[in-house]
Short mmCIF file of all heavy atoms in Angstrom, two decimals:
data_model
loop_
_atom_site.label_atom_id
_atom_site.label_comp_id
_atom_site.label_asym_id
_atom_site.label_seq_id
_atom_site.Cartn_x
_atom_site.Cartn_y
_atom_site.Cartn_z
N MET A 1 11.72 -10.06 -42.01
CA MET A 1 11.51 -9.70 -40.60
C MET A 1 12.36 -8.50 -40.21
O MET A 1 11.89 -7.57 -39.57
CB MET A 1 11.86 -10.92 -39.73
CG MET A 1 11.44 -10.73 -38.26
SD MET A 1 9.65 -10.41 -38.11
CE MET A 1 9.51 -10.21 -36.36
N ARG A 2 13.60 -8.53 -40.67
CA ARG A 2 14.48 -7.40 -40.38
C ARG A 2 13.95 -6.12 -41.03
O ARG A 2 13.99 -5.05 -40.43
CB ARG A 2 15.88 -7.74 -40.92
CG ARG A 2 16.90 -6.71 -40.48
CD ARG A 2 18.26 -7.00 -41.11
NE ARG A 2 19.19 -5.98 -40.67
CZ ARG A 2 20.39 -6.23 -40.17
NH1 ARG A 2 20.81 -7.46 -40.06
NH2 ARG A 2 21.16 -5.25 -39.78
N PHE A 3 13.43 -6.24 -42.24
CA PHE A 3 12.86 -5.09 -42.94
C PHE A 3 11.70 -4.49 -42.15
O PHE A 3 11.58 -3.28 -42.00
CB PHE A 3 12.41 -5.53 -44.34
CG PHE A 3 11.62 -4.47 -45.08
CD1 PHE A 3 12.28 -3.38 -45.64
CD2 PHE A 3 10.25 -4.56 -45.20
CE1 PHE A 3 11.56 -2.40 -46.31
CE2 PHE A 3 9.53 -3.58 -45.87
CZ PHE A 3 10.19 -2.49 -46.43
N ILE A 4 10.87 -5.35 -41.63
CA ILE A 4 9.71 -4.88 -40.87
C ILE A 4 10.16 -4.10 -39.62
O ILE A 4 9.60 -3.06 -39.28
CB ILE A 4 8.80 -6.08 -40.48
CG1 ILE A 4 8.14 -6.63 -41.74
CG2 ILE A 4 7.76 -5.66 -39.45
CD1 ILE A 4 7.45 -7.94 -41.55
N MET A 5 11.22 -4.57 -38.98
CA MET A 5 11.71 -3.89 -37.79
C MET A 5 12.25 -2.50 -38.13
O MET A 5 12.05 -1.55 -37.38
CB MET A 5 12.80 -4.73 -37.10
CG MET A 5 12.22 -5.96 -36.42
SD MET A 5 13.49 -7.08 -35.83
CE MET A 5 14.17 -6.13 -34.49
N VAL A 6 12.93 -2.41 -39.29
CA VAL A 6 13.47 -1.11 -39.71
C VAL A 6 12.33 -0.15 -39.99
O VAL A 6 12.34 1.00 -39.56
CB VAL A 6 14.39 -1.27 -40.95
CG1 VAL A 6 14.73 0.10 -41.54
CG2 VAL A 6 15.65 -2.03 -40.57
N VAL A 7 11.32 -0.61 -40.70
CA VAL A 7 10.17 0.24 -41.01
C VAL A 7 9.46 0.66 -39.72
O VAL A 7 9.09 1.82 -39.55
CB VAL A 7 9.19 -0.50 -41.96
CG1 VAL A 7 7.89 0.28 -42.09
CG2 VAL A 7 9.83 -0.69 -43.33
N ALA A 8 9.32 -0.28 -38.80
CA ALA A 8 8.66 0.04 -37.53
C ALA A 8 9.45 1.10 -36.77
O ALA A 8 8.86 2.03 -36.20
CB ALA A 8 8.53 -1.23 -36.68
N ALA A 9 10.77 1.03 -36.81
CA ALA A 9 11.60 2.02 -36.12
C ALA A 9 11.42 3.39 -36.76
O ALA A 9 11.35 4.41 -36.07
CB ALA A 9 13.07 1.59 -36.17
N MET A 10 11.32 3.43 -38.10
CA MET A 10 11.15 4.69 -38.80
C MET A 10 9.79 5.30 -38.49
O MET A 10 9.63 6.51 -38.40
CB MET A 10 11.29 4.49 -40.32
CG MET A 10 12.72 4.24 -40.74
SD MET A 10 12.82 3.67 -42.44
CE MET A 10 12.33 5.13 -43.33
N LEU A 11 8.79 4.46 -38.34
CA LEU A 11 7.44 4.95 -38.09
C LEU A 11 7.26 5.40 -36.64
O LEU A 11 6.54 6.35 -36.38
CB LEU A 11 6.41 3.84 -38.40
CG LEU A 11 6.23 3.51 -39.88
CD1 LEU A 11 5.28 2.33 -40.02
CD2 LEU A 11 5.67 4.71 -40.65
N THR A 12 7.91 4.74 -35.71
CA THR A 12 7.68 5.06 -34.31
C THR A 12 8.54 6.22 -33.83
O THR A 12 8.16 6.92 -32.91
CB THR A 12 7.93 3.85 -33.40
OG1 THR A 12 9.21 3.32 -33.67
CG2 THR A 12 6.89 2.77 -33.62
N ALA A 13 9.70 6.46 -34.45
CA ALA A 13 10.61 7.50 -33.97
C ALA A 13 9.96 8.88 -33.90
O ALA A 13 10.01 9.51 -32.85
CB ALA A 13 11.88 7.54 -34.81
N PRO A 14 9.31 9.35 -34.97
CA PRO A 14 8.70 10.69 -34.89
C PRO A 14 7.55 10.74 -33.89
O PRO A 14 7.31 11.78 -33.30
CB PRO A 14 8.17 10.93 -36.31
CG PRO A 14 8.81 9.91 -37.16
CD PRO A 14 9.12 8.75 -36.26
N VAL A 15 6.87 9.64 -33.70
CA VAL A 15 5.76 9.60 -32.75
C VAL A 15 6.28 9.85 -31.34
O VAL A 15 5.69 10.58 -30.57
CB VAL A 15 5.02 8.25 -32.84
CG1 VAL A 15 3.99 8.13 -31.73
CG2 VAL A 15 4.36 8.10 -34.20
N VAL A 16 7.44 9.25 -31.03
CA VAL A 16 8.04 9.44 -29.70
C VAL A 16 8.38 10.92 -29.49
O VAL A 16 8.13 11.46 -28.43
CB VAL A 16 9.29 8.55 -29.55
CG1 VAL A 16 10.05 8.91 -28.27
CG2 VAL A 16 8.90 7.09 -29.54
N VAL A 17 8.93 11.55 -30.54
CA VAL A 17 9.31 12.96 -30.42
C VAL A 17 8.09 13.83 -30.20
O VAL A 17 8.07 14.67 -29.31
CB VAL A 17 10.08 13.41 -31.69
CG1 VAL A 17 10.27 14.93 -31.68
CG2 VAL A 17 11.42 12.71 -31.76
N SER A 18 7.05 13.62 -31.01
CA SER A 18 5.88 14.49 -30.91
C SER A 18 5.02 14.15 -29.69
O SER A 18 4.10 14.89 -29.37
CB SER A 18 5.05 14.41 -32.18
OG SER A 18 4.58 13.11 -32.38
N ALA A 19 5.33 13.03 -29.02
CA ALA A 19 4.54 12.66 -27.85
C ALA A 19 4.79 13.64 -26.71
O ALA A 19 3.94 13.78 -25.83
CB ALA A 19 4.86 11.25 -27.41
N ARG A 20 5.96 14.31 -26.72
CA ARG A 20 6.23 15.30 -25.68
C ARG A 20 5.58 16.60 -26.08
O ARG A 20 6.07 17.31 -26.95
CB ARG A 20 7.74 15.47 -25.51
CG ARG A 20 8.09 16.47 -24.41
CD ARG A 20 7.69 15.90 -23.04
NE ARG A 20 8.02 16.83 -21.97
CZ ARG A 20 7.12 17.67 -21.43
NH1 ARG A 20 5.89 17.69 -21.87
NH2 ARG A 20 7.47 18.47 -20.45
N ASP A 21 4.48 16.90 -25.46
CA ASP A 21 3.75 18.11 -25.80
C ASP A 21 3.87 19.10 -24.65
O ASP A 21 3.48 18.81 -23.53
CB ASP A 21 2.29 17.76 -26.07
CG ASP A 21 1.50 18.98 -26.51
OD1 ASP A 21 2.08 19.87 -27.16
OD2 ASP A 21 0.31 19.06 -26.17
N TYR A 22 4.43 20.25 -24.94
CA TYR A 22 4.56 21.28 -23.91
C TYR A 22 3.32 22.15 -23.89
O TYR A 22 2.70 22.38 -24.92
CB TYR A 22 5.77 22.17 -24.23
CG TYR A 22 7.09 21.46 -24.13
CD1 TYR A 22 7.71 20.98 -25.26
CD2 TYR A 22 7.71 21.29 -22.90
CE1 TYR A 22 8.93 20.33 -25.18
CE2 TYR A 22 8.93 20.64 -22.80
CZ TYR A 22 9.54 20.16 -23.95
OH TYR A 22 10.74 19.52 -23.87
N ASP A 23 2.99 22.65 -22.74
CA ASP A 23 2.03 23.74 -22.69
C ASP A 23 2.53 24.77 -21.69
O ASP A 23 3.54 24.56 -21.02
CB ASP A 23 0.61 23.24 -22.38
CG ASP A 23 0.53 22.42 -21.12
OD1 ASP A 23 1.09 22.85 -20.10
OD2 ASP A 23 -0.08 21.34 -21.16
N CYS A 24 1.86 25.87 -21.61
CA CYS A 24 2.37 26.99 -20.82
C CYS A 24 2.57 26.61 -19.35
O CYS A 24 3.44 27.16 -18.68
CB CYS A 24 1.44 28.19 -20.96
SG CYS A 24 1.49 28.89 -22.63
N GLY A 25 1.80 25.67 -18.85
CA GLY A 25 1.95 25.23 -17.48
C GLY A 25 3.26 24.52 -17.19
O GLY A 25 3.64 24.34 -16.03
N ASP A 26 3.98 24.10 -18.25
CA ASP A 26 5.26 23.42 -18.08
C ASP A 26 6.42 24.39 -17.83
O ASP A 26 7.53 23.97 -17.55
CB ASP A 26 5.59 22.58 -19.32
CG ASP A 26 4.64 21.41 -19.48
OD1 ASP A 26 4.22 20.85 -18.46
OD2 ASP A 26 4.31 21.07 -20.63
N PHE A 27 6.15 25.68 -17.95
CA PHE A 27 7.22 26.68 -17.82
C PHE A 27 6.92 27.61 -16.66
O PHE A 27 5.75 27.89 -16.36
CB PHE A 27 7.34 27.50 -19.11
CG PHE A 27 7.47 26.65 -20.34
CD1 PHE A 27 6.38 26.46 -21.18
CD2 PHE A 27 8.65 26.01 -20.63
CE1 PHE A 27 6.48 25.66 -22.31
CE2 PHE A 27 8.76 25.20 -21.76
CZ PHE A 27 7.69 25.03 -22.60
N SER A 28 8.01 28.09 -16.03
CA SER A 28 7.80 29.04 -14.94
C SER A 28 7.95 30.48 -15.40
O SER A 28 7.48 31.39 -14.71
CB SER A 28 8.74 28.73 -13.77
OG SER A 28 10.04 28.51 -14.23
N THR A 29 8.60 30.68 -16.54
CA THR A 29 8.73 32.04 -17.06
C THR A 29 8.37 32.09 -18.54
O THR A 29 8.46 31.09 -19.24
CB THR A 29 10.17 32.57 -16.90
OG1 THR A 29 11.04 31.78 -17.71
CG2 THR A 29 10.65 32.52 -15.46
N GLN A 30 8.00 33.28 -18.97
CA GLN A 30 7.66 33.48 -20.38
C GLN A 30 8.87 33.25 -21.26
O GLN A 30 8.75 32.70 -22.35
CB GLN A 30 7.10 34.91 -20.57
CG GLN A 30 6.45 35.15 -21.92
CD GLN A 30 7.45 35.53 -22.99
OE1 GLN A 30 8.46 36.17 -22.73
NE2 GLN A 30 7.18 35.12 -24.22
N ALA A 31 10.07 33.66 -20.79
CA ALA A 31 11.29 33.51 -21.58
C ALA A 31 11.58 32.03 -21.88
O ALA A 31 12.01 31.69 -22.97
CB ALA A 31 12.47 34.14 -20.85
N GLU A 32 11.32 31.20 -20.89
CA GLU A 32 11.52 29.76 -21.05
C GLU A 32 10.58 29.20 -22.13
O GLU A 32 10.98 28.45 -23.01
CB GLU A 32 11.19 29.09 -19.71
CG GLU A 32 12.16 28.04 -19.25
CD GLU A 32 11.74 27.53 -17.88
OE1 GLU A 32 11.68 28.33 -16.92
OE2 GLU A 32 11.45 26.33 -17.80
N ALA A 33 9.33 29.59 -22.04
CA ALA A 33 8.34 29.16 -23.03
C ALA A 33 8.69 29.69 -24.41
O ALA A 33 8.59 28.98 -25.41
CB ALA A 33 6.96 29.65 -22.62
N GLN A 34 9.16 30.92 -24.45
CA GLN A 34 9.53 31.54 -25.73
C GLN A 34 10.66 30.77 -26.40
O GLN A 34 10.66 30.57 -27.61
CB GLN A 34 9.96 33.00 -25.48
CG GLN A 34 10.21 33.81 -26.74
CD GLN A 34 8.93 34.15 -27.47
OE1 GLN A 34 7.88 34.32 -26.86
NE2 GLN A 34 8.98 34.25 -28.78
N ARG A 35 11.61 30.33 -25.61
CA ARG A 35 12.75 29.58 -26.14
C ARG A 35 12.30 28.26 -26.77
O ARG A 35 12.72 27.91 -27.87
CB ARG A 35 13.72 29.31 -24.99
CG ARG A 35 15.10 28.96 -25.46
CD ARG A 35 15.93 28.50 -24.29
NE ARG A 35 16.72 27.37 -24.75
CZ ARG A 35 18.01 27.22 -24.52
NH1 ARG A 35 18.64 28.10 -23.81
NH2 ARG A 35 18.64 26.20 -24.99
N VAL A 36 11.44 27.54 -26.09
CA VAL A 36 10.93 26.27 -26.63
C VAL A 36 10.08 26.52 -27.87
O VAL A 36 10.18 25.80 -28.86
CB VAL A 36 10.14 25.51 -25.55
CG1 VAL A 36 9.40 24.31 -26.15
CG2 VAL A 36 11.07 25.06 -24.44
N TYR A 37 9.30 27.58 -27.80
CA TYR A 37 8.45 27.95 -28.94
C TYR A 37 9.31 28.24 -30.17
O TYR A 37 9.02 27.77 -31.27
CB TYR A 37 7.62 29.18 -28.56
CG TYR A 37 6.96 29.89 -29.71
CD1 TYR A 37 5.87 29.32 -30.36
CD2 TYR A 37 7.43 31.12 -30.14
CE1 TYR A 37 5.27 29.98 -31.42
CE2 TYR A 37 6.83 31.78 -31.20
CZ TYR A 37 5.76 31.21 -31.84
OH TYR A 37 5.17 31.86 -32.89
N GLU A 38 10.41 28.98 -29.99
CA GLU A 38 11.28 29.31 -31.12
C GLU A 38 12.06 28.09 -31.60
O GLU A 38 12.27 27.90 -32.79
CB GLU A 38 12.22 30.46 -30.73
CG GLU A 38 11.46 31.78 -30.67
CD GLU A 38 12.31 32.94 -30.15
OE1 GLU A 38 13.53 32.79 -30.02
OE2 GLU A 38 11.72 33.99 -29.86
N ASP A 39 12.51 27.24 -30.67
CA ASP A 39 13.25 26.04 -31.05
C ASP A 39 12.37 25.06 -31.82
O ASP A 39 12.86 24.27 -32.61
CB ASP A 39 13.81 25.33 -29.80
CG ASP A 39 15.03 26.04 -29.24
OD1 ASP A 39 15.53 26.97 -29.90
OD2 ASP A 39 15.49 25.66 -28.15
N ALA A 40 11.08 25.08 -31.55
CA ALA A 40 10.15 24.15 -32.20
C ALA A 40 9.96 24.48 -33.67
O ALA A 40 9.51 23.66 -34.44
CB ALA A 40 8.81 24.15 -31.48
N GLY A 41 10.33 25.70 -34.07
CA GLY A 41 10.22 26.08 -35.47
C GLY A 41 8.84 26.61 -35.81
O GLY A 41 7.99 26.78 -34.94
N PRO A 42 8.63 26.87 -37.11
CA PRO A 42 7.37 27.48 -37.53
C PRO A 42 6.19 26.52 -37.36
O PRO A 42 6.37 25.31 -37.32
CB PRO A 42 7.61 27.78 -39.02
CG PRO A 42 8.70 26.86 -39.44
CD PRO A 42 9.53 26.58 -38.20
N GLY A 43 5.02 27.06 -37.23
CA GLY A 43 3.82 26.24 -37.14
C GLY A 43 3.33 26.07 -35.72
O GLY A 43 2.25 25.58 -35.50
N ASP A 44 4.15 26.47 -34.74
CA ASP A 44 3.77 26.40 -33.32
C ASP A 44 3.18 25.04 -32.95
O ASP A 44 2.01 24.95 -32.57
CB ASP A 44 2.79 27.53 -33.01
CG ASP A 44 2.55 27.69 -31.51
OD1 ASP A 44 3.35 27.15 -30.72
OD2 ASP A 44 1.56 28.34 -31.13
N PRO A 45 3.96 23.95 -33.09
CA PRO A 45 3.42 22.60 -32.85
C PRO A 45 2.90 22.39 -31.43
O PRO A 45 2.02 21.56 -31.23
CB PRO A 45 4.61 21.68 -33.14
CG PRO A 45 5.82 22.54 -33.04
CD PRO A 45 5.38 23.91 -33.45
N TYR A 46 3.41 23.13 -30.46
CA TYR A 46 2.95 22.96 -29.08
C TYR A 46 1.80 23.91 -28.74
O TYR A 46 1.29 23.89 -27.63
CB TYR A 46 4.10 23.19 -28.10
CG TYR A 46 5.30 22.32 -28.35
CD1 TYR A 46 6.57 22.86 -28.43
CD2 TYR A 46 5.16 20.94 -28.49
CE1 TYR A 46 7.68 22.07 -28.66
CE2 TYR A 46 6.27 20.14 -28.73
CZ TYR A 46 7.52 20.71 -28.81
OH TYR A 46 8.61 19.92 -29.04
N ARG A 47 1.47 24.74 -29.67
CA ARG A 47 0.39 25.73 -29.47
C ARG A 47 0.63 26.57 -28.22
O ARG A 47 -0.23 26.71 -27.35
CB ARG A 47 -0.97 25.03 -29.42
CG ARG A 47 -1.41 24.63 -30.83
CD ARG A 47 -2.79 24.06 -30.86
NE ARG A 47 -2.80 22.72 -30.29
CZ ARG A 47 -3.89 22.00 -30.10
NH1 ARG A 47 -5.05 22.49 -30.42
NH2 ARG A 47 -3.81 20.80 -29.61
N LEU A 48 1.85 27.10 -28.14
CA LEU A 48 2.20 27.98 -27.03
C LEU A 48 1.79 29.42 -27.31
O LEU A 48 1.72 30.23 -26.40
CB LEU A 48 3.71 27.92 -26.76
CG LEU A 48 4.26 26.54 -26.33
CD1 LEU A 48 5.77 26.59 -26.20
CD2 LEU A 48 3.63 26.08 -25.03
N ASP A 49 1.55 29.71 -28.59
CA ASP A 49 1.18 31.06 -28.99
C ASP A 49 -0.22 31.02 -29.59
O ASP A 49 -0.40 30.96 -30.80
CB ASP A 49 2.20 31.59 -30.01
CG ASP A 49 1.88 33.00 -30.46
OD1 ASP A 49 1.14 33.71 -29.75
OD2 ASP A 49 2.35 33.39 -31.54
N ARG A 50 -1.19 31.04 -28.72
CA ARG A 50 -2.58 30.85 -29.16
C ARG A 50 -3.08 31.98 -30.04
O ARG A 50 -3.93 31.78 -30.89
CB ARG A 50 -3.50 30.74 -27.94
CG ARG A 50 -3.15 29.57 -27.05
CD ARG A 50 -3.87 28.33 -27.51
NE ARG A 50 -3.44 27.17 -26.77
CZ ARG A 50 -4.27 26.30 -26.20
NH1 ARG A 50 -5.55 26.48 -26.31
NH2 ARG A 50 -3.81 25.27 -25.57
N ASP A 51 -2.59 33.20 -29.82
CA ASP A 51 -3.09 34.32 -30.62
C ASP A 51 -2.17 34.67 -31.79
O ASP A 51 -2.38 35.66 -32.47
CB ASP A 51 -3.38 35.54 -29.73
CG ASP A 51 -2.14 35.99 -28.95
OD1 ASP A 51 -1.07 35.38 -29.11
OD2 ASP A 51 -2.26 36.96 -28.18
N HIS A 52 -1.12 33.83 -31.98
CA HIS A 52 -0.24 33.94 -33.16
C HIS A 52 0.38 35.32 -33.35
O HIS A 52 0.45 35.83 -34.46
CB HIS A 52 -1.01 33.54 -34.44
CG HIS A 52 -1.67 32.21 -34.33
ND1 HIS A 52 -0.96 31.03 -34.27
CD2 HIS A 52 -2.98 31.86 -34.23
CE1 HIS A 52 -1.81 30.01 -34.15
NE2 HIS A 52 -3.04 30.48 -34.12
N ASP A 53 0.81 35.92 -32.25
CA ASP A 53 1.51 37.20 -32.39
C ASP A 53 3.02 37.04 -32.24
O ASP A 53 3.75 38.02 -32.19
CB ASP A 53 0.96 38.22 -31.38
CG ASP A 53 1.21 37.80 -29.93
OD1 ASP A 53 1.70 36.68 -29.70
OD2 ASP A 53 0.89 38.60 -29.03
N GLY A 54 3.51 35.79 -32.14
CA GLY A 54 4.94 35.54 -32.05
C GLY A 54 5.47 35.52 -30.64
O GLY A 54 6.65 35.27 -30.42
N VAL A 55 4.61 35.80 -29.67
CA VAL A 55 5.01 35.77 -28.27
C VAL A 55 4.31 34.59 -27.59
O VAL A 55 3.08 34.52 -27.57
CB VAL A 55 4.63 37.09 -27.55
CG1 VAL A 55 5.10 37.05 -26.10
CG2 VAL A 55 5.24 38.27 -28.28
N ALA A 56 5.12 33.66 -27.05
CA ALA A 56 4.56 32.46 -26.43
C ALA A 56 4.16 32.74 -24.99
O ALA A 56 4.88 33.44 -24.26
CB ALA A 56 5.59 31.33 -26.48
N CYS A 57 3.06 32.19 -24.58
CA CYS A 57 2.63 32.21 -23.17
C CYS A 57 2.78 33.58 -22.52
O CYS A 57 3.45 33.72 -21.49
CB CYS A 57 3.43 31.18 -22.37
SG CYS A 57 3.31 29.50 -23.00
N GLU A 58 2.16 34.59 -23.08
CA GLU A 58 2.32 35.93 -22.52
C GLU A 58 1.72 36.10 -21.13
O GLU A 58 1.94 37.11 -20.48
CB GLU A 58 1.82 37.03 -23.46
CG GLU A 58 0.51 36.79 -24.13
CD GLU A 58 0.69 36.18 -25.52
OE1 GLU A 58 0.89 36.92 -26.48
OE2 GLU A 58 0.61 34.96 -25.60
N THR A 59 0.99 35.10 -20.66
CA THR A 59 0.45 35.18 -19.30
C THR A 59 1.49 34.83 -18.24
O THR A 59 1.28 35.11 -17.07
CB THR A 59 -0.76 34.24 -19.15
OG1 THR A 59 -0.37 32.93 -19.54
CG2 THR A 59 -1.94 34.70 -20.01
N LEU A 60 2.63 34.22 -18.66
CA LEU A 60 3.67 33.85 -17.69
C LEU A 60 4.50 35.08 -17.32
O LEU A 60 4.62 36.01 -18.11
CB LEU A 60 4.58 32.77 -18.28
CG LEU A 60 3.95 31.37 -18.44
CD1 LEU A 60 4.91 30.45 -19.15
CD2 LEU A 60 3.54 30.79 -17.10
N PRO A 61 5.10 35.07 -16.12
CA PRO A 61 5.90 36.22 -15.68
C PRO A 61 7.20 36.39 -16.48
O PRO A 61 7.70 35.44 -17.03
CB PRO A 61 6.23 35.90 -14.22
CG PRO A 61 6.06 34.44 -14.08
CD PRO A 61 5.01 34.03 -15.08
CA1 CA B 101 0.85 35.09 -28.14
#
């Protein structure tokens, strides 16, 4: 039973992290979006850079 709880914790932890999905509407400035985009690492998991030019949410001020 204890083993099952440990496995469940390992399986659910990343799901909780990835459940927070940012999009450009969550930011008021492009710099803010850019920071989250860079902190998220390669692969653009939040899809803030739709045209893949390295600049996140270029429509923001
Ligand atoms: Ca872009």
Side-chain angles (χ1 to χ4, degrees):
M1 190 58 181
R2 188 184 179 131
F3 171 76
I4 291 169
M5 288 171 70
V6 169
V7 170
M10 287 168 68
L11 289 175
T12 53
V15 173
V16 171
V17 171
S18 62
R20 182 67 180 98
D21 183 32
Y22 294 99
D23 55 47
C24 291
D26 292 325
F27 308 103
S28 46
T29 64
Q30 192 275 327
E32 224 177 300
Q34 187 72 31
R35 199 189 139 134
V36 170
Y37 166 73
E38 287 174 10
D39 283 352
D44 191 16
Y46 304 130
R47 284 185 287 176
L48 297 176
D49 180 20
R50 299 272 173 131
D51 57 1
H52 308 291
D53 64 355
V55 182
C57 303
E58 44 265 275
T59 54
L60 290 175

